[in-house]
Amino acid sequence: MFLLLWTPVLLCEISADTGASVWGQQHCQQEGYCVTLSEGELTAEAGLCVVIPCSFTTIFTPTHVIWYKCETAEQKRCDSNRIFHTYKSQSVQSEFRGRVSLLEPDVSQRNCSIMINDLRESDSGFYQLRVEGFKQSDAFTFTSKAAVTVKGLSQKPTVVIPPLTAGQQSTLTCTAPGLCSGSAPDITWSWRGKTTAYKSEETQRHTSALTFNPLPKHHSTSVTCTVSFRGDITTEETQTVNVSYVKEVQITGSRKVTEGETLSLNCSVESFPPSLITWAKMNESDLQEDTDTFTQDQRTGALSIYNVTAEDSGQYVCTATHLNKTHKMRNVTVTVIYIRKPQISGSTAVNEGDVLSLTCSAESFPPSVIMWTKLSSNTTLHNGPGSATLVIPNVTAEHSGQYICTANHLNTTLTERVTVTVTWITEIQTGSVCELQSDVLTCWCVSEGFPLPTFKWPLLEDHTQYSVVTSVSKQTVNSTVTVRNHGNTAVECVASNENREVKANLTIQTKLPEAGKSEEIFQTASRLEVIIAFLIGVVLSAVVCCLAIKCHRNKQKKSENVDETMEMIIPQGNMLVHENGAVDRGTTDTELNSGPKDVEYASIDFSLLKRMRPSEVARRKQESTETEYSEVKRQVREEKKEDAGEEGETLERKEEEVMVEEDEETRHCVSEEENRGDEAVYSNVKEIMYNKDCVDRCDGLMMERHCD
């Protein structure tokens, strides 16, 4: 029954696999005896099977079906080469024994189709049908034959590989070629050089299933299914196995890079199909990814950052996306090797006795070694990694100077310098004392410090006449004060600077002066005031003297001019001065006094007068003035050398001013004489007498400078 159900299916599929026609044309040799065979030639392949479709009609009831193999189509009877008989006790050719079967066992159905399994190429030929009934006379052999051609096996097994994912169990199937083969073939699997035999399933088409757990190592390997038929006929099919998998992400490249260089990392992941690779940097503030600061290739997984800086340090994530699934590896940390200039913090100005604390730090990776030294000293004061704090308790003046912070970073050394200033001041030193001689008090106060201390003398608040002298030697300051009539029983000296203030009450030592020395001490103390007063008196005296001499000379000169004028206005016979210098006396003095007082203007010959040029008059006046002034100046200088030191310079400047004033007066007088030189000779005695009276008034008024 199973065979009948599969017959139409087999006939249909056999025709598709072998190319044989399904059923065929009916051939009737005589009335009531007909056979239907496939038209044309049936082709099959060795090792497989072939179905010869057949149906018949007879006038008797058939009981047996017999098939013969003929070598040629013209051969009418092939009884000698029987290959099949429904009566099994009947003998058949040995090479066909067990390979031929009737598709419909019930002969009464008049279905004579047979299937020949395990075909061999020698099975090619012509097949003839004979039908027998119950009676011996009920038998008929059809002359029509079915032609069958068997070729070498060319069909291959059918291997089915479902999508494979690593770690998920899968089954591969291998189906033998053809719909039938008679005996079950041997099916073997070959994988990675190993052969495994699997028993085929009990189906009409022999199939083998291979169940396994695919791994990444199975990817791109070849699996072979080999089908072996009887008669040493084999066929095989080889296919490549593709396993979907993704392995761990791998990162190559240096994760440490020096600032300014290029960071180059490569992210790769072994997978099938290929994964999509992306790079991202973790933002520490919000743990978000940042992809805008570098260049990446999603195909190769290359990451490049040019001219890296310290800000490029951090965690980077390589992400591999495979079949819509994201696989992340652990964060990779990138470190940038760099160093910044050392920075020094802390106060560089410290008071003596305090604590000096300076911290030097240098931002770098890896951390730098920080070292403190003092200039001109090879001693390391302090060192430490990353930062170092220099601490000097109870500092003194010796700790002032320049300190150097050195940062050693790999093959790089950076330095930073700082100047430390210690402010200090000592107590009032021994030797600070006061001496009292007569009524003059002299005090000395000495102190040292940095910055240089300044001194205050509270006793000076009640005095207006005093002198203070300050001298400096390196860091030592000496203040000397001299006061007269101090009236104090104790003297306080106060020295101070930025550090602090120190005070001391100075001991007053009384020193008895020698005889006659008291006044000398006072004169020394008040020397400046005395010299100034003396010099002022000398200057005023010199000025008055110069003015008196000048006015006296002017008076004398004008008297002479009056006498000469009186002589010139005498009538003929009086004394005249001619151009050649001769004197002509015409009358006597007695006659002159007894003569008339009026002048006869017509009797004067002015052309005969010898007049002195104004420039000569001025020159003579200047020579006379300069000569007398020089004498005064020499006297003043001698007094200045005896009485003054520094005050002499002041006197000299004042004398020069007096000289300048005198020169100006002289020039003034000369200019007046020059202007007056061109005036006419006095025309009458009254005018001459007026000028004489003016000269007399100049004698009484010595301080009047322009009496004329």
Side-chain angles (χ1 to χ4, degrees):
M1 185 65 181
F2 174 79
L3 184 60
L4 292 177
L5 292 175
W6 274 93
T7 297
V9 177
L10 289 174
L11 291 176
C12 181
E13 293 193 8
I14 289 173
S15 64
D17 291 341
T18 64
S21 301
V22 179
W23 302 107
Q25 186 176 5
Q26 187 178 34
H27 299 277
C28 296
Q29 291 181 235
Q30 60 185 26
E31 186 177 356
Y33 294 94
C34 297
V35 62
T36 301
L37 299 173
S38 60
E39 293 183 0
E41 185 179 44
L42 298 175
T43 58
E45 294 182 2
L48 303 181
C49 66
V50 64
V51 174
I52 301 176
C54 174
S55 63
F56 65 91
T57 60
T58 59
I59 59 175
F60 57 85
T61 301
T63 57
H64 296 285
V65 174
I66 304 165
W67 281 93
Y68 301 98
K69 178 178 181 292
C70 302
E71 297 297 331
T72 62
E74 290 79 12
Q75 188 176 354
K76 291 184 179 182
R77 292 186 66 91
C78 306
D79 297 344
S80 59
N81 194 12
R82 186 168 54 194
I83 64 169
F84 177 76
H85 197 295
T86 55
Y87 190 59
K88 298 187 181 301
S89 59
Q90 297 294 323
S91 61
V92 295
Q93 294 290 334
S94 58
E95 62 268 20
F96 285 95
R97 186 177 294 118
R99 294 195 300 126
V100 181
S101 60
L102 192 63
L103 295 181
E104 176 56 57
D106 186 3
V107 178
S108 64
Q109 298 295 326
R110 290 178 169 79
N111 186 350
C112 54
S113 299
I114 60 173
M115 180 173 63
I116 304 174
N117 297 315
D118 303 327
L119 287 175
R120 305 168 185 173
E121 293 185 15
S122 60
D123 293 339
S124 298
F126 299 92
Y127 292 87
Q128 184 180 44
L129 174 66
R130 176 181 173 79
V131 180
E132 294 180 352
F134 291 100
K135 297 179 181 180
Q136 187 176 4
S137 59
D138 295 337
F140 188 83
T141 300
F142 296 95
T143 57
S144 297
K145 302 178 181 63
V148 175
T149 301
V150 179
K151 299 178 180 180
L153 183 60
S154 62
Q155 295 187 53
K156 294 183 178 297
T158 301
V159 177
V160 178
I161 301 177
L164 302 179
T165 301
Q168 298 180 7
Q169 191 177 52
S170 299
T171 300
L172 309 183
T173 59
C174 177
T175 303
L179 294 176
C180 58
S181 60
S183 58
D186 294 330
I187 300 177
T188 58
W189 293 88
S190 299
W191 204 342
R192 299 174 64 89
K194 297 181 180 180
T195 301
T196 304
Y198 291 88
K199 184 179 181 181
S200 62
E201 298 180 0
E202 294 296 332
T203 61
Q204 198 64 28
R205 300 189 67 173
H206 303 287
T207 302
S208 175
L210 174 62
T211 300
F212 75 110
N213 189 14
L215 299 175
K217 65 180 182 179
H218 295 139
H219 177 68
S220 296
T221 59
S222 297
V223 60
T224 301
C225 176
T226 303
V227 179
S228 299
F229 298 99
R230 294 177 63 181
D232 296 330
I233 299 173
T234 61
T235 183
E236 65 182 15
E237 175 67 12
T238 301
Q239 290 191 9
T240 300
V241 176
N242 292 322
V243 180
S244 297
Y245 70 96
V246 58
K247 291 186 176 181
E248 291 295 327
V249 178
Q250 300 293 329
I251 295 179
T252 58
S254 178
R255 303 178 186 183
K256 290 185 179 180
V257 61
T258 303
E259 188 174 30
E261 297 181 351
T262 300
L263 172 65
S264 181
L265 297 176
N266 187 71
C267 179
S268 61
V269 56
E270 184 180 349
S271 65
F272 181 82
S275 300
L276 180 65
I277 298 176
T278 56
W279 279 97
K281 182 182 179 183
M282 298 302 295
N283 192 333
E284 296 180 358
S285 60
D286 51 11
L287 299 180
Q288 293 181 354
E289 297 179 353
D290 182 10
T291 60
D292 298 333
T293 58
F294 47 81
T295 302
Q296 60 177 323
D297 189 337
Q298 294 182 349
R299 294 174 300 174
T300 62
L303 168 66
S304 299
I305 302 178
Y306 303 96
N307 193 21
V308 296
T309 62
E311 289 71 19
D312 294 320
S313 298
Q315 291 185 338
Y316 290 78
V317 178
C318 174
T319 303
T321 303
H322 178 258
L323 297 178
N324 298 326
K325 291 184 179 181
T326 300
H327 300 268
K328 290 185 179 180
M329 70 161 298
R330 292 181 304 173
N331 297 343
V332 57
T333 301
V334 174
T335 54
V336 179
I337 300 173
Y338 71 98
I339 183 173
R340 297 288 183 264
K341 185 178 180 180
Q343 300 293 327
I344 298 177
S345 60
S347 178
T348 57
V350 60
N351 295 332
E352 186 179 32
D354 291 346
V355 177
L356 172 65
S357 179
L358 297 176
T359 300
C360 179
S361 61
E363 183 183 354
S364 64
F365 182 85
S368 304
V369 177
I370 308 298
M371 180 174 59
W372 278 102
T373 56
K374 188 177 181 182
L375 189 64
S376 71
S377 174
N378 296 326
T379 304
T380 300
L381 302 178
H382 188 75
N383 59 9
S387 65
T389 301
L390 173 64
V391 178
I392 302 178
N394 194 22
V395 294
T396 61
E398 288 73 16
H399 292 123
S400 297
Q402 200 171 68
Y403 290 80
I404 304 173
C405 171
T406 304
N408 295 316
H409 179 261
L410 300 180
N411 297 326
T412 303
T413 300
L414 298 178
T415 60
E416 185 69 11
R417 301 189 177 196
V418 64
T419 300
V420 174
T421 303
V422 179
T423 60
W424 56 278
I425 187 172
T426 62
E427 298 293 336
I428 302 299
Q429 295 185 4
T430 304
S432 300
V433 69
C434 290
E435 287 187 357
L436 179 62
Q437 283 189 346
S438 185
D439 59 348
V440 177
L441 177 66
T442 303
C443 296
W444 296 270
C445 189
V446 182
S447 180
E448 291 181 321
F450 181 84
L452 292 176
T454 59
F455 287 86
K456 294 181 182 179
W457 296 91
L459 68 90
L460 299 180
E461 296 177 357
D462 300 329
H463 294 78
T464 58
Q465 294 184 354
Y466 58 85
S467 65
V468 177
V469 178
T470 302
S471 62
V472 178
S473 176
K474 295 184 179 179
Q475 303 299 323
T476 303
V477 181
N478 186 346
S479 179
T480 304
V481 62
T482 302
V483 183
R484 186 175 183 182
N485 299 324
H486 65 95
N488 297 80
T489 57
V491 176
E492 184 181 38
C493 174
V494 180
S496 64
N497 65 2
E498 297 176 2
N499 182 275
R500 62 192 179 99
E501 182 180 86
V502 294
K503 301 178 181 180
N505 289 323
L506 304 183
T507 303
I508 299 178
Q509 299 177 357
T510 302
K511 185 176 182 182
L512 297 176
E514 298 178 1
K517 294 294 183 177
S518 177
E519 186 62 27
E520 183 179 352
I521 295 174
F522 171 73
Q523 290 179 356
T524 302
S526 58
R527 187 176 183 181
L528 180 62
E529 292 82 352
V530 174
I531 292 175
I532 292 175
F534 175 75
L535 292 178
I536 292 174
V538 171
V539 172
L540 292 176
S541 300
V543 171
V544 172
C545 182
C546 290
L547 292 176
I549 293 172
K550 183 176 183 298
C551 290
H552 177 70
R553 287 183 178 180
N554 288 338
K555 175 183 176 182
Q556 185 178 6
K557 193 170 185 178
K558 290 180 180 180
S559 298
E560 293 176 356
N561 291 337
V562 171
D563 293 338
E564 292 176 359
T565 305
M566 291 294 294
E567 293 177 358
M568 287 187 293
I569 63 175
I570 295 176
Q572 294 181 357
N574 293 338
M575 182 180 60
L576 294 174
V577 180
H578 299 274
E579 291 181 359
N580 56 8
V583 177
D584 189 9
R585 294 181 179 271
T587 60
T588 63
D589 294 338
T590 305
E591 293 177 347
L592 178 62
N593 294 330
S594 62
K597 295 181 179 181
D598 293 337
V599 180
E600 294 180 7
Y601 296 100
S603 64
I604 299 175
D605 187 359
F606 291 96
S607 63
L608 298 177
L609 292 177
K610 180 181 180 181
R611 301 175 61 183
M612 187 177 294
R613 296 179 180 275
S615 60
E616 186 177 357
V617 174
R619 181 179 59 80
R620 290 182 179 181
K621 289 183 179 181
Q622 184 174 6
E623 289 177 355
S624 177
T625 304
E626 288 179 352
T627 301
E628 296 175 0
Y629 177 75
S630 298
E631 294 177 358
V632 176
K633 184 176 181 181
R634 283 195 297 271
Q635 294 175 0
V636 172
R637 285 184 176 176
E638 291 176 358
E639 295 174 354
K640 175 185 68 176
K641 291 180 179 179
E642 294 175 356
D643 301 330
E646 297 178 352
E647 292 77 1
E649 296 179 359
T650 304
L651 174 60
E652 188 176 11
R653 286 195 298 271
K654 291 185 178 182
E655 290 175 347
E656 291 176 355
E657 293 176 359
V658 172
M659 183 178 66
V660 171
E661 291 178 357
E662 290 298 323
D663 292 341
E664 291 179 354
E665 286 186 7
T666 304
R667 288 195 296 271
H668 179 69
C669 292
V670 171
S671 62
E672 287 182 351
E673 291 294 332
E674 289 178 352
N675 293 334
R676 294 171 56 186
D678 295 334
E679 294 178 357
V681 181
Y682 296 107
S683 59
N684 54 48
V685 177
K686 291 181 179 181
E687 192 172 0
I688 294 174
M689 296 303 295
Y690 170 80
N691 285 278
K692 184 178 181 181
D693 293 339
C694 181
V695 172
D696 294 337
R697 287 194 300 270
C698 286
D699 292 337
L701 302 174
M702 299 298 294
M703 297 302 294
E704 185 174 351
R705 300 173 61 184
H706 299 288
C707 61
D708 54 346

